[in-house]
Amino acid sequence: MLESLIFSISITGPIFIVMALGVWLNSSGQINDNFIDVGSKLVFNVTLPALLFINVANTPLHSAANPTMLGIGVIGTVLFYVLLEKAASWWVSEPRDRGVVVQGGFRANMGIIGLAYCFNAYGNEGLAVASIYLGIVTIVYNVLSVITLSRWLDGGFNMRNTLRGIVRNPIILSILAALPLAWFELGLPGWVERTGSYFAQMTLPLALLCTGASLPFKSLRSNMRSTLVASSFKLILMPLGLTAAGVWLGVRGIDLGVLAMMCAGPTAAASYVMVRAMGGDAKLAATIIASTTLGSIITNSALIGGLHHWGWL
């Protein structure tokens, strides 16, 4: 058991140390909101796409794409979305808050926290597997988020704009560009790989610093019931459900680890942006992000430690 605890801390510990550094740098005035905004845009538009492109392009597709794992991610996300819709209608009294709770309960921070987990656990091989998962499940996240928010917030956002955003998403475009190279095992020219690596190596440290610095701790005391509903699904029910499905269907090793770590992350920061754009309760969205980020320190360590203890990773 001690060995499993050390293993889980070795994966989750560095991530939260860097995030805590971001909190301290922001509170001490060494970085500000402008740095967070510019840094986050740089990660989303440049460094993260470079990281994903290089890792997918250099990995044979047949070894990175496990159809069972991907199917669990897609189908499981849809099923938990349906459960969340029902739970929100029962337990969230304010109708306009229900879409915020639903999105906060299923939309994981895969592009930053999830990838960092997978890299700490498995290195570049884990990043390649996680990149394929990220590209596919991100599309599901965006579509379901628009459906639930439009349903409960009386529109203000439409599916056409969402689909246009998916097509133009730098993360998805970088993965699609790398897939032919991975399929035919063509590899990358040395100079392309070295240049891309300069940007790719910036991704996780910069992203984690910005994530920590942007956490809205002041909002943690508000909307506790709605936050508890979203957090319970995001940190406990959904990770356990998808991981159990993976174990039951025979997914093991890196594939099971990636499935667990990608769905077990805290609520994605993108959920706040979407709620704010559609006129929802942005403060509630921020509260869910902050609470799940703090709670995931415990739940993710327990999940990873348990899977290691039972020999499934």
Side-chain angles (χ1 to χ4, degrees), residues 80 233-246 260 263-264 303:
F80 271 99
F233 272 86
K234 181 79 260 337
L235 298 179
I236 301 173
L237 299 179
M238 192 167 178
L240 288 179
L242 268 63
T243 303
C263 71
L303 177 63

Side-chain angles (χ1 to χ4, degrees), residues 55-62 132 177-187:
N55 279 280
V56 173
N58 285 333
T59 303
L61 193 58
H62 62 82
I132 302 296
L179 286 178
L181 299 174
W183 180 265
F184 295 107
E185 300 185 25
L186 298 177

Side-chain angles (χ1 to χ4, degrees), residues 187-194:
L188 292 170
W191 66 272
V192 172
E193 185 168 354
R194 284 192 297 273

